[in-house]
Amino acid sequence: MTDITCPYDGDCGRRFDSSAMDAPDAAFLNTAIGKKMTFMFLHCPACSRMFQFNPVAWTAHASETAAPRAARVAKKSSKQLEKLLAREQVTVPQAYLAHLRSAKSRPGAAIFKDEEPFTLYSLDALCQEVDVDGTRYRAVRQLAGFAQALGQAAGSGSQQAAPFSLAELAACLAIGEENTRILFIDSRDNDALWIYHCDGGDVEPTRLTLTSLIGPGVC
């Protein structure tokens, strides 16, 4: 394979062979080449930073889309937070809003057996701002940023997030995260829960729904 140059030339810029990457990245790259994917994320073996890579054009670009974290904001009341969401036309299912306001809301949920649990956003965390590819979004709306990044990298017809179109992905609401994985509500039925992988742009279904998450039995 052709060498890859780290796009962070300000403090790295190291040129390396793909065999120098760790095993997961190397395997992902081989899969991406076979599928002719045009958008993925890799890590520089020298500086360990994540960057955007196009295996077809063999081009690397610096990226800020990895594992976004909410910025600190002044503490607001539940009513103020809900007004903020309404003002920005973010429609969170009423049953879930009521759940977040209640004392029964959980800080996390085990989505897959024998894997790390996902942190579930509180109402305050939903409204905090995160950075996606240089643009600020409310945490609950961050998938709109990832959908835009996918569209810019692979075109509006990108199948990266299939079975979601980019417009459908952009309309989905994020409600939690685990490392570079984002838990979100399916915008098509407002109930099914899916996972978005920030490091590859892929989506993964879960067996959970918003209804079951609110109910008993999820820890």
Side-chain angles (χ1 to χ4, degrees):
M1 292 184 185
T2 307
D3 287 349
I4 299 172
T5 301
C6 175
Y8 299 101
D9 51 8
D11 54 7
C12 183
R14 186 72 59 84
R15 187 181 181 88
F16 59 90
D17 186 86
S18 59
S19 62
M21 297 187 296
D22 60 20
D25 271 10
F28 187 25
L29 177 59
N30 285 330
T31 299
I33 292 172
K35 292 183 177 180
K36 296 184 178 180
M37 293 167 55
T38 58
F39 181 83
M40 65 182 301
F41 290 99
L42 295 173
H43 298 81
C44 173
C47 68
S48 300
R49 296 171 71 183
M50 181 181 285
F51 60 89
Q52 181 180 316
F53 190 69
N54 182 333
V56 175
W58 208 261
T59 53
H61 301 280
S63 174
E64 298 296 331
T65 61
R69 287 293 181 266
R72 291 183 178 275
V73 295
K75 191 72 174 178
K76 293 182 173 65
S77 68
S78 294
K79 285 187 177 181
Q80 288 175 316
L81 293 171
E82 289 179 37
K83 285 183 179 179
L84 185 153
L85 292 174
R87 185 169 63 247
E88 298 191 11
Q89 299 182 330
V90 178
T91 305
V92 178
Q94 285 299 316
Y96 193 60
L97 274 180
H99 174 71
L100 291 176
R101 289 193 300 263
S102 74
K104 297 179 180 180
S105 61
R106 303 178 178 88
I111 305 300
F112 299 114
K113 186 178 180 180
D114 300 326
E115 289 191 14
E116 289 295 318
F118 277 66
T119 298
L120 298 178
Y121 297 145
S122 63
L123 182 56
D124 183 64
L126 286 176
C127 298
Q128 291 181 1
E129 291 187 338
V130 298
D131 185 289
V132 180
D133 210 23
T135 302
R136 307 295 290 178
Y137 295 86
R138 299 293 173 188
V140 68
R141 294 284 292 116
Q142 61 187 292
L143 288 175
F146 285 104
Q148 181 174 337
L150 287 172
Q152 291 174 343
S156 59
S158 171
Q159 297 298 307
Q160 192 84 24
F164 292 87
S165 67
L166 293 184
E168 289 170 340
L169 181 66
C172 293
L173 303 181
I175 62 170
E177 66 179 53
E178 190 282 314
N179 200 2
T180 59
R181 300 185 295 176
I182 298 173
L183 182 67
F184 68 90
I185 305 170
D186 189 333
S187 62
R188 300 169 301 183
D189 63 10
N190 283 325
D191 194 37
L193 297 181
W194 290 67
I195 292 169
Y196 178 80
H197 293 264
C198 301
D199 54 0
D202 300 315
V203 297
E204 178 182 6
T206 76
R207 294 184 177 182
L208 291 177
T209 63
L210 194 63
T211 302
S212 64
L213 186 68
I214 294 173
V218 179
C219 58

